[in-house]
Amino acid sequence: MSVSPSSPSAARAAQLLSRPITIGGLTVPNRIAMAPMTRQFSPGGIPGKAVAAYYARRAAGGVGLIVTEGTYVDHESAGSSDNVPRFHGEEQLAGWAKVAEAVHAEGGTIVPQLWHIGMARNAGQPPYADAPAVGPSGIRLDGTEGAGKAMTQADLDDVIAAFAQGAADAERIGFDGVELHGAHGYLIDQFLWHGTNRRADGYGGDPVARTRFGAEIVAAVRAAVSPDFPVIFRYSQWKSDNYDARIAATPAELDAVLAPLAAAGVDAFHASTRRYWLPEFDGSDLNLAGWTRKLTGKPVITVGSIGLDGDFIRGFQGESAPVRGIDDLLDRLERDEFDLVAVGRALLQDPEWAAKVLAGRFDQLADYNPAALRTLV
């Protein structure tokens, strides 16, 4: 794709994407966000100099808001790798403070994504090999039972406290906000989805009851940070290895899920889809982010194969993807369907993707080629 820097598309991209936006007390300098992408480049859960440089490079390349890769909260069952960063521990938090400082030095803003994988954990995995997999009902995404334990009230309280502490630490060490990972079949999402939540207490049942755990996490986080410290909530319909799963089959069901989260203190939603251009419900062209904004009135980030033709799942499985035009994205942004756009693979391919798009240098964008990525730098 070749677009002249003086073309109408280039001028429109610069105008629409370069506008600042305020979320809580944070002003993001433009409408381009970096999507969270797991990297496993943090031995011992400690983000080092290379991690700081990785994020700083994207901030220098024009990204307005960086959402970090998922980072484990302080609960022994939260993760499954000793190379995924953790958001607890003296060395780990010291490393994250340097990441935030490096991004700020380049003019960017940054929020950590706090994460608990729940029943996606397997027995014996690090960083705490003896920790069991936990979830709402001890059921995996594929329906397997007996591979983990249903959470007790004490378990729920511990995890809620861990998210709250992570958010408080994020504010203390200099981050600009926090994102809670409630998507893709991980712990919070396991409560939201009827396929993994079979509880008969107040945390299971109808869509509103299934939202209770997530809403309690949001409320605890909100209470642990300053009133204007942004709290972002990421969610999805699809789950890892179950792309047809849905937590809401209709706009009314989606409203039942989102309303308690918004009331608990979410400042912005991050609606994760595999292809942002697909409508979410019959009878409307709105995507999931568009419906989220319409129902909640909150700022919303859209994501899903932005800038590339082909969804990100195939990309991370080693398939290439050609550049996709963003005229449709700009059309949607112009009519306020959503507020920010999160970019993933395109920013792995090119740390200056945002700067090139903001300047209308579309002719300099390259196809996504995973074979050319020797390391995510």
Side-chain angles (χ1 to χ4, degrees), residues 314-336:
R314 292 201 301 269
F316 284 123
Q317 291 172 341
E319 294 186 25
S320 299
V323 170
R324 174 186 173 91
I326 62 169
D327 283 341
D328 174 62
L329 181 77
L330 297 176
D331 290 343
R332 292 167 180 262
L333 193 62
E334 193 167 36
R335 59 178 180 255
D336 294 325

Side-chain angles (χ1 to χ4, degrees), residues 41-356:
F41 283 5
S42 299
I46 303 168
K49 292 181 180 179
V51 174
Y54 165 79
Y55 287 116
R57 195 170 294 118
R58 273 72 190 173
V63 174
L65 174 66
I66 290 173
V67 183
T68 75
E69 62 210 282
T71 178
Y72 299 147
V73 296
D74 188 9
H75 187 261
E76 290 191 350
S77 297
S80 60
S81 170
D82 200 38
N83 291 313
V84 167
R86 303 199 284 273
F87 214 81
H88 60 92
E90 184 176 349
E91 290 183 274
Q92 288 82 1
L93 293 176
W96 278 121
K98 292 177 182 177
V99 172
E101 182 181 5
V103 167
H104 291 154
E106 298 294 349
T109 63
I110 183 169
V111 301
Q113 186 189 74
L114 302 183
W115 189 23
H116 193 302
I117 72 171
M119 290 299 300
R121 175 177 167 78
N122 293 317
Q125 288 183 312
Y128 303 103
D130 294 336
V134 298
S137 305
I139 298 173
R140 293 198 185 280
L141 292 179
D142 63 3
T144 302
E145 300 185 34
K149 59 171 283 191
M151 296 174 73
T152 65
Q153 186 63 55
D155 294 327
L156 298 173
D157 293 342
D158 287 345
V159 171
I160 291 169
F163 273 94
Q165 185 61 57
D169 287 335
E171 183 173 27
R172 176 177 60 82
I173 65 176
F175 279 83
D176 299 299
V178 66
E179 177 170 285
L180 310 178
H181 196 341
H184 308 161
Y186 296 115
L187 181 62
I188 297 175
D189 194 25
Q190 289 162 21
F191 276 83
L192 296 178
W193 187 43
H194 65 87
T196 43
N197 187 344
R198 312 283 178 80
R199 295 177 76 98
D201 61 5
Y203 293 93
D206 63 26
V208 173
R210 296 198 302 271
T211 306
R212 178 179 170 183
F213 178 59
E216 288 185 354
I217 288 176
V218 172
V221 165
R222 182 78 275 159
V225 298
S226 301
D228 62 350
F229 191 70
V231 176
I232 303 169
F233 189 91
R234 194 180 212 216
Y235 82 100
S236 67
Q237 297 267 38
W238 65 274
K239 321 299 170 200
S240 301
D241 298 327
N242 191 335
Y243 303 132
D244 296 325
R246 300 171 74 81
I247 60 174
T250 66
E253 289 184 2
L254 185 60
D255 188 38
V257 171
L258 297 179
L261 296 167
V266 170
D267 293 296
F269 287 94
H270 190 171
S272 178
T273 57
R274 296 170 66 204
R275 304 174 184 92
Y276 79 87
W277 55 88
L278 296 181
E280 189 57 40
F281 301 113
D282 292 340
S284 169
D285 290 334
L286 292 177
N287 71 2
L288 185 62
W291 274 107
T292 302
R293 194 177 192 275
K294 180 177 181 177
L295 293 169
T296 69
K298 300 285 187 179
V300 178
I301 305 169
T302 196
V303 67
S305 304
I306 288 173
L308 297 174
D309 194 2
D311 70 63
F312 66 90
I313 296 295
R314 292 201 301 269
F316 284 123
Q317 291 172 341
E319 294 186 25
S320 299
V323 170
R324 174 186 173 91
I326 62 169
D327 283 341
D328 174 62
L329 181 77
L330 297 176
D331 290 343
R332 292 167 180 262
L333 193 62
E334 193 167 36
R335 59 178 180 255
D336 294 325
E337 184 171 336
F338 37 73
D339 301 278
L340 293 101
V341 299
V343 181
R345 286 172 299 150
L347 276 170
L348 293 183
Q349 179 80 25
D350 184 357
E352 296 185 354
W353 185 93
K356 290 176 181 178

Side-chain angles (χ1 to χ4, degrees), residues 13-38:
Q15 188 273 319
L16 289 171
L17 290 170
S18 65
R19 297 172 298 161
I21 183 171
T22 299
I23 302 173
L26 173 67
T27 297
V28 179
N30 62 50
R31 301 302 178 101
I32 299 175
M34 181 175 180
M37 291 172 283
T38 298

